[in-house]
Every structure is written in C-alpha cells, then in structure tokens.
C-alpha cells in the first residue's frame, strides 16, 4: 500500500503545527499500550514484524538483529514513566540477549547498545553493563587492521563475503559500545572504524553510500549514494555520534547530510528508494533521521528551526494512516500501531510492516520532543 502524500494531513497548516505536550503524551500512551499487547502475543519470544496492521507477528527465539530494540523499547518506557514493571521486563530481555555475543556480526552492536546499553546508562544495571563491556570487546577483537574496519561478519545476513564488507546501519551503535563501554584501545578502534567507513561512504552534497565491499583488494562504496532512505538516515545517525565524540569534519558533514535529507524528502513518507518514486514509502527512515538531527542540537547553527522541522515531520507521521489511533480515524483497528517500516519480508520482497525498531524510534523522538530524555542518550 502506498500512502498518498496529499491525504496525510487534513491541512498543510495542521501539519506545520508543533506537537503540544498533550498530543505527545497521547501518542506515547498509545505506544505503551501497544507494547502490552505485543508482549501478550509474543510470550517469551522476540517480535520481529507484523504485516501492516494485521497484528500477526513473526516471532523469533533469539531476536535476530532487531532483538535489542525490543529490550530498548522497554528500557525507554521505564525511563520515561518510572514504571518498575517495564524495567523488570527490560532486564529479562537483556538477560536473554547474552547468547548473541557469539554471533559473527557487527549487528551485535545494535543488539547490545539498545538492548543493554540503555539499561546500563539509565539504571546502572550491572548485568546490562557487563554484557555491553563484553560486546565492546568482541567487536574490538573482530577489527581488521588491514582494512581499518570492523567487518559486517558472516552471520545475520552477512554471507560468505561478510568479512570483506561493511554496512553503515550499525555504525552509530558500534561507536557507542566501543567508546562508552570499552578501553582506550577500543575507543581508538571506534574512531578508526568510523573514519574509514564514513570517508569511503561519503559522496557529494551530503549523500552517503550504505555499504562498502572489498573489490580487487580495495574497499569501495556500493550502490548510489543517498537514494536508499533508511541507509541515508543511518549515516546521519552515525555522523551525529561522530560529531559528538570527535567534532570536525563530522559536524560539517552531518549538517550537509541533514540539509540533503530536508531538501530531497520534504515529507516523512518519502519513497524507501528515491530512484523508485512509486515504490513503498519508509517513514521509519524519517524517524532515524530526526533522532540524528535532534542529537546535533545546539551544534547546529539553526537549532530552533531544525527542532520545528522535527515537530512537523513527527506530526505528519502521527496524523498519517501509518500510525493508528492518534486521529481516531481508524476506530476499527487497534491503536498505537506504527506500520510505516519498509522491510524485506522474504526473497527481496519489500512491504510495510509494524516492527519493534520503528516503534522504538517513534517513542524515542516523542520522548525527546516531550523533554523526557535528551536525544544524545539514544
């Protein structure tokens, strides 16, 4: 299903209004209630995705690369609400992530930063902290000095050539684990990995490739820079983290990438791929991009204008049919479903789904806009 941009909001004036605190609280309540429903449906397993608004979850015993977002979502709820039951459930999920330490994939960083790092950061959880320290060390041990990167790895979709390639989607979480929970040695690896990946993926006018491969003995960027929306958004998140830790030139690059995003994707339901304008949209990419913009904060010369822009983008998403219950226009459907996530469900078939990482980022953006957390905590 492709959403028509013209019907996303009732009026352009409505879309341009900043969200009120009451509206933010309402949206968060819908999301938190949705968490309870998903929890009841999945039992002890991890929810991966559910097609559009069907409420029919594909479950996983280990959680794959998205398992950490399920735990991260509960840590976030506990932080925002002070709910001890939510905190206890996040702790339970955190413990179940431990076996993923042995998985040969840089995507371990996504699992352990969101699934454990937030618990260690916000609550001082000792188990979460130890798992993050172990994850930091296994990532550092997989660093390839010859290539200057932590490779993608052969598991979680990396394939036989996984040790000769890397993708940008895990760069922010990898940097966070290596710097926040690692030794000085790990911190140096974080900087070198980021420098190699961001340098090779950087194209012109703020655009970024989403992957690099070893070709004829040299790492080279793959695909067309800036066209895959979520890949560009992940690059923006990585640039924000790099700017926070290492300053220039990453701050200037981050600003350029944000400007490119704003000019090429004026509405949050832009195509998943700019080269396929009639293909599925991917509002989840906008949420990742807005977190990156909020993380830059006062490092941007026009911070207030960017914050207004984020408000407008998030209002557009909430008022769109990709999120149910906010406008009461879809009373026949369960509320709090965010199904604006373009996902490869099988054999390179992409569809819009509800998934935990998309709902996590929507909750995170709302929590920042509601002044409940700081963006650089995500």
């Amino acid at each position: 299903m492709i959403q028509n941009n013209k019907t996303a909001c009732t009026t352009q004036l409505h879309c341009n209004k900043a969200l009120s605190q009451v509206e933010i609280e309402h949206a968060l309540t819908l999301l938190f209630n949705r968490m309870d429903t998903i929890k009841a449906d999945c039992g002890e397993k991890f929810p991966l995705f559910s097609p559009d608004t069907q409420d029919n979850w594909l479950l996983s015993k280990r959680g794959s690369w998205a398992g950490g977002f399920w735990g991260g979502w509960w840590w976030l709820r506990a932080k925002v609400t002070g709910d001890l039951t939510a905190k206890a459930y996040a702790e339970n999920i955190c413990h179940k992530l431990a076996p993923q330490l042995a998985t040969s994939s840089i995507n371990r960083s996504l699992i352990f930063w969101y699934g454990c790092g937030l618990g260690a950061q916000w609550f001082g959880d000792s188990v979460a902290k130890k798992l993050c320290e172990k994850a930091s060390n296994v990532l550092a041990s997989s660093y390839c000095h010859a290539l200057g990167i932590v490779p993608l790895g052969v598991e979680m979709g990396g394939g036989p050539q996984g040790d000769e390639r890397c993708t940008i989607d895990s760069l922010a979480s990898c940097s966070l684990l290596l710097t926040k929970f690692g030794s000085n040695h790990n911190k140096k690896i974080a900087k070198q990995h980021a420098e190699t990946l961001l340098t090779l993926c950087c194209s012109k006018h703020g655009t970024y490739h989403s992957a690099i491969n070893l070709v004829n003995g040299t790492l080279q960027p793959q695909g067309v820079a800036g066209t895959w929306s979520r890949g560009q958004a992940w690059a923006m998140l990585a640039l924000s983290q790099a700017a926070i830790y290492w300053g220039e030139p990453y701050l200037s690059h981050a600003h350029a990438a944000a400007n490119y995003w704003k000019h090429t994707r004026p509405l949050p339901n832009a195509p998943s791929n700019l080269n396929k304008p009639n293909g599925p949209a991917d509002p989840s990419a906008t949420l990742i991009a807005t977190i990156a913009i909020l993380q830059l904060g006062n490092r941007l010369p026009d911070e207030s204008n960017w914050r207004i822009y984020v408000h407008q983008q998030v209002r557009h998403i909430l008022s769109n049919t990709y999120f149910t219950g906010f406008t009461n226009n879809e009373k026949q459907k369960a509320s709090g479903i965010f199904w604006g996530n373009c996902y490869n469900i099988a054999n390179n078939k992409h569809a819009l789904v509800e998934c935990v990482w998309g709902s996590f980022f929507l909750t995170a953006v709302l929590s920042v806009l509601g002044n409940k957390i700081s963006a650089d905590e995500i």
Side-chain angles (χ1 to χ4, degrees):
M1 172 183 263
I2 301 173
Q3 177 68 32
N4 188 330
N5 288 344
K6 294 181 181 179
T7 62
C9 288
T10 55
T11 67
Q12 189 63 36
L13 177 62
H14 175 70
C15 287
N16 286 338
K17 287 174 59 180
L19 289 163
S20 69
Q21 193 67 27
V22 171
E23 289 174 315
I24 290 171
E25 297 287 351
H26 174 50
L28 286 172
T29 297
L30 293 175
L31 286 161
F32 294 151
N33 290 341
R34 182 64 186 157
M35 293 172 73
D36 294 329
T37 301
I38 298 171
K39 175 186 174 185
D41 289 344
C42 72
E44 290 301 311
K45 293 185 177 180
F46 289 86
L48 292 183
F49 69 86
S50 172
D52 52 67
T53 59
Q54 292 180 20
D55 210 5
N56 182 23
W57 286 89
L58 178 69
L59 304 177
S60 167
K61 184 177 180 180
R62 287 165 58 99
S64 187
W65 65 270
F69 287 103
W70 182 228
W73 201 10
W74 286 92
W75 287 123
L76 179 56
R77 175 174 171 175
K79 172 66 174 176
V80 167
T81 65
D83 184 353
L84 295 180
T85 302
K87 178 175 176 288
Y89 192 63
E91 291 170 352
N92 178 57
I93 297 170
C94 175
H95 295 177
K96 293 194 293 184
L97 295 174
Q100 297 282 38
L101 284 168
T103 303
S104 176
S105 174
I106 196 174
N107 290 327
R108 284 176 291 197
S109 64
L110 291 165
I111 295 169
F112 288 99
W113 167 247
Y114 294 104
C116 303
L118 297 181
Q121 172 181 262
W122 287 331
F123 301 101
D125 187 274
S126 60
V127 173
K129 183 174 183 290
K130 288 179 181 178
L131 285 172
C132 286
E133 290 170 348
K134 290 180 179 179
S136 179
N137 288 333
V138 295
L139 286 167
S141 67
S142 65
Y143 177 74
C144 176
H145 289 271
L147 299 178
I149 59 169
V150 178
L152 177 60
V154 298
E155 296 185 81
M156 289 189 179
Q161 280 74 49
D163 288 337
E164 298 178 350
R165 57 192 298 256
C166 194
T167 55
I168 208 162
D169 44 8
S170 59
L171 179 52
S173 55
C174 186
S175 297
L176 285 161
L177 278 176
L178 288 170
T179 53
K180 284 181 175 286
F181 297 98
S183 63
N184 288 334
H185 172 70
N186 291 11
K187 291 179 174 66
K188 290 178 181 178
I189 287 176
K191 187 174 183 180
Q192 182 59 60
H193 173 69
E195 182 177 336
T196 301
L197 194 54
L198 289 172
T199 299
L200 290 174
C201 287
C202 182
S203 186
K204 55 185 178 181
H205 308 307
T207 62
Y208 280 78
H209 298 270
S210 60
I212 54 174
N213 286 8
L214 190 66
V215 180
N216 297 324
T218 304
L219 286 171
Q220 298 181 16
Q222 303 298 302
V224 181
T227 56
W228 180 40
S229 292
R230 200 156 69 243
Q232 180 72 17
W234 285 124
M236 291 169 64
L237 195 62
L239 285 165
S240 294
Q241 288 299 327
I244 290 170
Y245 282 115
W246 305 302
E248 293 291 0
Y250 302 112
L251 179 57
S252 295
H253 291 323
H255 199 185
N259 280 321
Y260 168 76
W261 180 275
K262 187 175 181 180
H263 292 148
T264 57
R265 296 163 175 89
L267 293 177
N269 48 335
S272 173
N273 191 315
L274 292 184
N275 288 338
K276 299 177 181 179
N278 295 321
D282 192 358
S284 74
T286 294
L287 296 174
I288 298 170
T290 55
I291 281 288
I293 290 168
L294 290 170
Q295 284 183 346
L296 290 173
N298 60 14
R299 298 173 184 86
L300 291 173
D302 43 359
E303 178 190 3
S304 60
N305 289 334
W306 280 109
R307 194 172 183 91
I308 292 170
Y309 167 77
V310 171
H311 267 279
Q312 293 168 347
Q313 296 293 289
V314 178
R315 174 180 286 283
H316 201 295
I317 288 173
L318 294 177
S319 302
N320 196 293
T321 55
Y322 292 131
F323 184 68
T324 62
F326 186 74
T327 59
N328 295 319
N329 289 331
E330 297 182 330
K331 295 182 180 180
Q332 74 279 13
K333 297 178 181 177
S335 295
I337 297 175
F338 173 56
W339 58 285
N341 313 277
C342 186
Y343 191 67
N344 182 8
I345 58 175
N347 300 320
N348 207 32
K349 179 183 178 182
H350 291 80
L352 290 169
V353 303
E354 179 185 16
C355 62
V356 291
W357 50 266
S359 296
F360 167 84
F361 280 115
L362 177 55
T363 306
V365 174
L366 287 165
S367 298
V368 174
L369 294 179
N371 297 312
K372 297 176 181 295
I373 61 170
S374 171
D376 57 14
E377 297 176 55
I378 299 299

